[in-house]
Amino acid sequence: MTITDVARAAGVSVATVSKVVNGRYGVAQTTASRVLEVVDQLGYESSLVARSLRRRRTNVIGVLVAEFEPFSTELLKAISKAVEGTGYELLAYSGGGDTSDRVGWERRSLSRLGGTLIDGAVIVTPTVQVPTDDGVPVVAIDPHTGPTGPATVDSDSLAGARMATEHLIGLGHTRIGHLGGRRDLESARLRELGYRQAMSDAGLTVDPSLVLTGGYRPDLSDRPTHELLDRPDRPTAVFAANDLSALHVVEVARELGLRVPEDLSVVGYDDVPEAAAAQPPLTTVAQPLRDMGAEALRMVISLIESDAPRTGQGHHTRLPTRLVERASTAPPATA
C-alpha cells in the first residue's frame, strides 16, 4: 500500500496525504479526517526512514541484544511493558551473528540503525565500551566492561554472589564449587569475588580446583561441570554464575546418579522463568530484571528528550539483588 493509493482513495493529492500523516498544518479538519480514515482502512504506513529524514525523529527505540536467550528476552519483555504510554515504539534487533563474531556486535548494530531507524538504543550486555559520540543516546544494561562510558544499568553482582554463597554456608556446606562466567565480563568477575569473600569471611579455604569457568552457557559449562562432579572429592554444593549454567549442573548431576539437593545443592543467578519451572525448582539470586528494563528505558528517553549532552556518560544505576530460596538447596548429607 502506497501513499498514492491513499490519495486516490481519499480523493486528494499526494502532498495532502503527506501533510496529514506527518502532522503538518494546512489541511482542513474534514479533509484530514477523511485521509486518516482511508489510512486506517488501507493499513498504510509511511516510510520510517523517509519520515525520520524529514522530522529528524522516528519515535523508535532500539533494543539491541547479541542473541535472544532467557536473560535478554526477560529484559525485552520488561522494556516492552514499560514503553506503553510513552509515545515510543520498540525495535528489537539481534546483532550477534555467529559465535565467533560476537565481540563488537553492538557497534555494527548502532551503525546500521542509528540516525535513521532509531532515536536511541538500549544495549543488553555489550561486549565492548560502546561509542558515545555518534549522536544516538545509548544506555547499556549489564555491560561487560562495568559502569564506564555511556549510561548503564546493572544489579549488584558482588552482593548477590555473597548472598548465594552465604546461603550454602549457612546450610552447613564447606566444600563449595563455583562455576563462573566468561573471564572478560565484569559481572562474572564480581560474582567470583563475592563467592571468594563469603568463603573467606566464614573462615573457609577456596580450593582452586573447584573454581572453574562455565562461560554463562550450558554448552561451554558442560566439561567444567563434569570436572566438578565426576571426582571422588566432589563439592557438596555449587554456586553457578547464571541460571542456565546452574540448570546444566542439575542435569549433569542427574546423569551421574546424584540427587539434588540430597547429594548436591545448586544455586544459580538471574531468576529467569526456567529457574522456577525446573525440577527441582532452582534456588537463585534474582536480578530485578523488570526494574532494570524499565529504568534503562526511562534513562534513554530522558537522554533523547533532554537538551543535555546526549552521551549520558556518568549516569550509572545499580539495583539490589535478592536470594530466592527454592528446592535445589539443603544441608549436606554429612551435616
Side-chain angles (χ1 to χ4, degrees):
M1 191 60 56
T2 68
I3 193 171
T4 302
D5 298 321
V6 174
R8 183 181 301 113
V12 298
S13 67
V14 169
T16 297
V17 176
S18 178
K19 288 181 180 180
V20 173
V21 298
N22 288 289
R24 295 180 187 152
Y25 297 105
V27 180
Q29 183 58 48
T30 55
T31 302
S33 297
R34 184 167 74 252
V35 170
L36 291 176
E37 183 179 351
V38 172
V39 165
D40 288 339
Q41 291 174 349
L42 300 183
Y44 170 72
E45 287 284 350
S46 60
S47 167
L48 185 62
V49 174
R51 191 170 72 215
S52 70
L53 291 174
R54 288 191 298 268
R55 299 170 56 197
R56 308 295 297 174
R57 181 70 69 85
T58 65
N59 277 47
V60 176
I61 294 173
V63 182
L64 281 51
V65 302
E67 60 179 324
F68 292 109
E69 39 72 44
F71 177 76
S72 62
T73 300
E74 287 304 300
L75 285 170
L76 180 59
K77 287 159 60 177
I79 297 170
S80 178
K81 181 66 176 177
V83 82
E84 295 176 3
T86 65
Y88 288 86
E89 299 176 352
L90 295 183
L91 173 66
Y93 185 84
S94 176
D98 297 331
T99 303
S100 60
D101 196 31
R102 292 188 186 277
V103 176
W105 62 269
E106 52 284 298
R107 288 178 173 168
R108 294 189 296 273
S109 300
L110 278 178
S111 68
R112 292 166 182 165
L113 304 178
T116 56
L117 292 178
I118 59 176
D119 296 332
V122 174
I123 304 181
V124 179
T125 58
T127 57
V128 295
Q129 183 173 319
V130 296
T132 58
D133 56 357
D134 288 352
V136 177
V138 171
V139 174
I141 296 180
D142 192 29
H144 291 190
T145 55
T148 60
T152 65
V153 177
D154 64 9
S155 68
D156 196 338
S157 287
L158 181 66
R162 287 183 62 99
M163 281 191 290
T165 310
E166 289 167 354
H167 169 66
L168 293 171
I169 294 171
L171 290 173
H173 295 276
T174 57
R175 190 164 174 77
I176 303 171
H178 177 57
L179 188 61
R182 277 175 38 190
R183 291 294 183 184
D184 60 326
L185 273 61
E186 177 71 358
S187 61
R189 185 189 71 81
L190 289 173
R191 290 171 199 179
E192 180 177 330
L193 179 60
Y195 155 79
R196 290 181 178 276
Q197 287 182 355
M199 294 286 283
S200 176
D201 290 349
L204 299 175
T205 301
V206 174
D207 182 342
S209 68
L210 298 185
V211 181
L212 301 177
T213 301
Y216 283 151
R217 294 168 50 135
D219 57 336
L220 298 179
S221 66
D222 185 69
R223 185 172 61 83
T225 298
H226 278 88
E227 289 182 21
L228 282 174
L229 303 185
D230 194 12
R231 52 188 289 173
D233 58 344
R234 62 171 175 79
T236 61
V238 173
F239 164 46
N242 75 332
D243 284 344
L244 294 185
S245 297
L247 293 173
H248 190 68
V249 171
V250 174
E251 291 180 8
V252 172
R254 188 176 294 119
E255 293 172 3
L256 297 175
L258 300 175
R259 300 167 300 164
V260 175
E262 293 85 356
D263 301 318
L264 178 74
S265 286
V266 181
V267 179
Y269 200 108
D270 286 337
D271 197 26
V272 296
E274 289 83 350
Q279 291 299 322
L282 184 69
T283 295
T284 187
V285 176
Q287 295 198 70
L289 300 180
R290 179 177 299 179
D291 294 339
M292 290 167 67
E295 176 64 10
L297 181 73
R298 185 198 65 77
M299 290 171 70
V300 76
I301 290 177
S302 178
L303 290 172
I304 291 170
E305 299 181 349
S306 173
D307 293 329
R310 295 165 67 85
T311 62
Q313 285 182 290
H315 295 274
H316 307 301
T317 299
R318 176 159 290 169
L319 300 176
T321 52
R322 61 187 177 88
L323 182 71
V324 180
E325 296 185 40
R326 297 195 180 104
S328 66
T329 53
T334 57

